[in-house]
Amino acid sequence: MSIERRNFPQFFITAPSPCPYLPGRVERKVFTHLVGQDARSLNTQLSQGGFRRSQNIAYRPACDGCASCVSVRVPVNTFDLNRSFRRNLKINADVDSTVIKSQATSEHYSLFRSYIDSRHSDGGMADMTVLDFSAMVDDNFVDSRLVEYRVRSDINERGRLVASVLIDVLGDGISMIYSFYDPDEARRSLGTFMILDNMARVKRLGLPYLYLGYWVRGSRKMDYKAKFLPQERLTADGWRLHREAQD
């Protein structure tokens, strides 16, 4: 067997299961493993092809008769920082972001647990234990980081942790893997703030794209991604620029 053949990733497909986004539909996924010395470059290549990462697995939907899951990335240099986004940044002016090693702590898990119990208690992550959470954050062979968001405080020198996001640094940008935040801080719209913060981070790195994962038309869970414009959406003919949310 040639070296090229041994190094080529093997792809597999899952059995059908209920779709988590659109009721009454069934999903399947094609996936491969991200392991070894080529994991980082493969992660970039697969992200450009519409794959997402979960621990050491890269996957993308492969559903019969459905193409509702659309990969979205934002070209940060042409992003429109509109009035609503500027207001969000002003509201969160007292929040500091720090990039740290992707290593879970009890503080992170406590915040994650509050977020899940409040926002997604019926979702696939509702039963995640602290060990499951640690595996999600810690176990990977790619260039992964955790970003912490803390409200500055005179009482706590480090500040109070209100949000965090797991990110992958790719060859052409950053991929936001999973974010969670304090459900009692709804006025801050921390999900939006984390996206804006990572757009700025991508710019500082001199890279072109922030990958947001899948947008699903008709899914309330995914509607928010359509507001970050202009954005590129992956089609059968490649990435296509969209300047309007529903165009």
Side-chain angles (χ1 to χ4, degrees), residues 169-239:
V169 180
L170 307 175
D172 63 349
I174 284 176
S175 176
M176 296 183 68
I177 302 301
Y178 191 77
S179 61
F180 49 98
Y181 50 85
D182 187 342
D184 294 330
E185 293 282 358
R187 72 174 188 86
R188 290 183 178 273
S189 298
L190 288 164
T192 294
F193 179 64
M194 285 188 279
I195 291 175
L196 297 176
D197 176 68
N198 279 286
M199 282 202 208
R201 183 164 290 106
V202 172
K203 276 190 173 184
R204 290 196 295 271
L205 291 172
L207 299 173
Y209 297 113
L210 180 67
Y211 287 80
L212 297 183
Y214 299 119
W215 170 67
V216 183
R217 188 188 300 271
S219 171
R220 292 182 62 186
K221 294 180 181 178
M222 296 296 181
D223 278 349
Y224 72 93
K225 296 181 182 180
K227 69 182 181 180
F228 296 92
L229 297 166
Q231 62 181 226
E232 294 183 5
R233 299 174 189 166
L234 186 59
T235 72
D237 298 318
W239 292 95

Side-chain angles (χ1 to χ4, degrees), residues 28-208:
R28 302 186 77 182
K29 295 175 182 175
V30 60
F31 68 94
T32 190
H33 298 277
L34 291 170
V35 295
Q37 61 182 7
D38 296 325
R40 293 187 179 187
S41 59
L42 182 59
N43 192 29
T44 291
Q45 294 169 24
L46 292 177
S47 296
Q48 292 169 344
F51 280 73
R52 294 287 288 164
R53 183 180 71 81
S54 177
Q55 293 179 245
N56 292 317
I57 297 292
Y59 68 90
R60 67 170 296 173
C63 308
D64 295 332
C66 181
S68 295
C69 292
V70 179
S71 294
V72 172
R73 67 186 186 186
V74 180
V76 299
N77 291 319
T78 57
F79 170 67
D80 179 19
L81 190 66
N82 61 31
R83 181 182 300 177
S84 175
F85 293 138
R86 291 195 296 271
R87 185 184 308 117
N88 180 280
L89 293 175
K90 185 176 180 179
I91 291 172
N92 292 292
D94 60 338
V95 178
D96 293 326
S97 67
T98 306
V99 180
I100 64 173
K101 182 179 180 181
S102 54
Q103 185 171 342
T105 67
S106 58
E107 186 182 26
H108 297 138
Y109 181 70
S110 178
L111 181 63
F112 166 80
R113 192 73 262 164
S114 296
Y115 171 75
I116 289 293
D117 292 343
S118 174
R119 297 297 184 93
H120 303 288
S121 58
D122 59 346
M125 291 185 169
D127 296 328
M128 283 186 72
T129 66
V130 65
L131 294 178
D132 297 328
F133 177 76
S134 294
M136 180 180 76
V137 175
D138 300 355
D139 293 349
N140 65 76
F141 289 82
V142 301
D143 191 1
S144 179
R145 299 285 188 273
L146 201 62
V147 187
E148 290 185 340
Y149 296 86
R150 295 180 180 275
V151 175
R152 292 191 290 275
S153 169
D154 295 333
I155 301 173
N156 184 340
E157 183 177 347
R158 294 184 65 202
R160 179 170 59 88
L161 183 68
V162 293
S164 190
V165 59
L166 181 66
I167 64 172
D168 286 352
V169 180
L170 307 175
D172 63 349
I174 284 176
S175 176
M176 296 183 68
I177 302 301
Y178 191 77
S179 61
F180 49 98
Y181 50 85
D182 187 342
D184 294 330
E185 293 282 358
R187 72 174 188 86
R188 290 183 178 273
S189 298
L190 288 164
T192 294
F193 179 64
M194 285 188 279
I195 291 175
L196 297 176
D197 176 68
N198 279 286
M199 282 202 208
R201 183 164 290 106
V202 172
K203 276 190 173 184
R204 290 196 295 271
L205 291 172
L207 299 173

